[in-house]
Amino acid sequence: MTRYSHSGDQALLVKLYDACGDDLYHFLLTLSDSSLAKDICQKTWLKVMEKRHMYQDSGLFKAWLFTLARNLLMDEYRAVQRLSLIDNVHELSGEALDMSGSILGVFDKALMSLPFVQREAFCLQQEGFSLKEIAQITHCEHETIKSRLRYAKATLQVLLKDIAGDVYV
């Protein structure tokens, strides 16, 4: 990114996109629907081109990219007042999960049942970010992120315990 931020070379931007584009889309897809995820991805890459001079080589480019994307997503939710809608989580018990579906489908339903902030922290961790990087991306305290991850994992464990037994038996 440092070379791109100084030169603006489009070939370097393509390399950055190839390295991080799918991960960014997948992250946004876990926090929104496919249409909004695509829209925010596009806006994020436009922002990278616009703000390339603001990139500071003090951390991972991917963390900076995800921070831009998260901020754009939050702006979108605020603009349409949908943030309150995504925080109204439907409580799922183990029985409420459709056990006839695929394991990935069941996991996806369980993941989507988490409150937004827990799902966000969990997905960022699955993308390989450290606690410190997740705190920077989400603009939250380190301890807050640890709590969100703990609650997310505990909830997923409860929701998925029935199918885990089926898989490992």
Side-chain angles (χ1 to χ4, degrees):
M1 177 60 189
T2 303
R3 289 184 16 222
Y4 171 71
S5 68
H6 295 301
S7 69
D9 182 358
Q10 294 304 309
L12 294 173
L13 180 64
V14 169
K15 287 183 181 181
L16 290 170
Y17 180 82
D18 288 344
C20 302
D22 289 343
D23 291 342
L24 179 67
Y25 175 72
H26 181 262
F27 168 68
L28 290 168
L29 190 58
T30 62
L31 301 176
S32 63
D33 60 39
S34 64
S35 175
L36 184 57
K38 288 176 187 175
D39 187 41
I40 297 299
C41 273
Q42 184 176 26
K43 288 179 181 179
T44 301
W45 287 107
L46 289 172
K47 187 75 76 174
V48 167
M49 290 186 284
E50 285 175 19
K51 305 290 184 184
R52 72 175 195 256
H53 63 280
M54 296 180 72
Y55 176 74
Q56 297 176 3
D57 196 18
S58 60
L60 284 172
F61 165 72
K62 191 173 175 182
W64 184 67
L65 179 70
F66 277 50
T67 301
L68 291 175
R70 181 193 185 273
N71 291 344
L72 288 167
L73 182 63
M74 293 295 103
D75 289 347
E76 179 67 23
Y77 280 142
R78 280 187 209 102
V80 294
Q81 299 175 350
R82 291 182 2 188
L83 191 55
S84 62
L85 295 177
I86 60 173
D87 271 333
N88 293 333
V89 176
H90 303 291
E91 293 296 324
L92 287 179
S93 66
E95 297 79 34
L97 289 174
D98 180 11
M99 297 305 197
S100 64
S102 70
I103 292 172
L104 289 177
V106 173
F107 177 79
D108 215 25
K109 288 178 186 176
L111 182 64
M112 295 309 286
S113 75
L114 294 175
F116 179 83
V117 294
Q118 290 176 19
R119 186 171 67 238
E120 175 185 51
F122 181 82
C123 290
L124 285 169
Q125 188 179 52
Q126 297 309 301
E127 289 290 340
F129 291 108
S130 68
L131 292 176
K132 180 180 177 183
E133 291 166 335
I134 296 170
Q136 289 173 338
I137 291 169
T138 60
H139 310 291
C140 293
E141 295 295 323
H142 184 267
E143 293 300 316
T144 301
I145 297 305
K146 284 173 57 176
S147 294
R148 288 176 181 174
L149 287 169
R150 184 177 65 250
Y151 288 124
K153 290 174 182 178
T155 301
L156 288 173
Q157 186 176 20
V158 167
L159 293 174
L160 300 173
K161 72 178 179 174
D162 293 333
I163 64 163
D166 294 342
V167 172
Y168 295 109
V169 171

